[in-house]
Amino acid sequence: MLLGREDGAILAAVPAANVHPRPERHFEIDPAALIATHRAARAGGLAVLGYYHSHPTGRAEPSATDRAAASGDGRVWAIVAAGEVRFWRDAQSGFEPLPLRVAAG
Ligand SMILES: [Zn+2]
């Protein structure tokens, strides 16, 4: 999960278990971790701005599976593959590339 401020700055990436029965092809964030993080956000913690996952053998762009799973909720998806991280917005009309970059610190 990608956590950050309401202005869109992502400040933390929190790992969560992939509980999908076929984790090599799909991902489903551990619901308990998701609920706990949303609860912490409501209590004044960082907001859940998006999610990240990797494509061990693919490219850093949304796969057909990702497009099928997308909800169009506007959150950021970071996809790690082939030594890079690329960012996408899960928009109503589909994934849009974002010009975000990874900063140190
Ligand atoms: Zn994917």
Side-chain angles (χ1 to χ4, degrees):
M1 290 169 282
L2 301 172
L3 309 184
R5 298 191 307 245
E6 296 298 339
D7 68 2
I10 294 166
L11 301 178
V14 177
N18 180 356
V19 297
H20 196 281
R22 292 177 59 206
E24 71 284 1
R25 295 286 301 169
H26 301 269
F27 80 96
E28 179 180 342
I29 296 171
D30 177 3
L34 201 52
I35 289 166
T37 304
H38 278 288
R39 185 171 292 148
R42 283 196 301 274
L46 296 173
V48 180
L49 300 185
Y51 314 102
Y52 71 92
H53 68 283
S54 63
H55 289 170
T57 60
R59 294 189 296 181
E61 55 191 51
S63 66
T65 302
D66 292 333
R67 287 194 292 274
S71 65
D73 65 5
R75 285 199 165 91
V76 174
W77 287 39
I79 301 178
V80 183
E84 65 173 340
V85 187
R86 291 175 65 190
F87 296 87
W88 305 83
R89 183 170 308 284
D90 179 7
Q92 291 284 342
S93 56
F95 282 103
E96 300 170 349
L98 287 171
L100 296 178
R101 62 190 173 81
V102 178

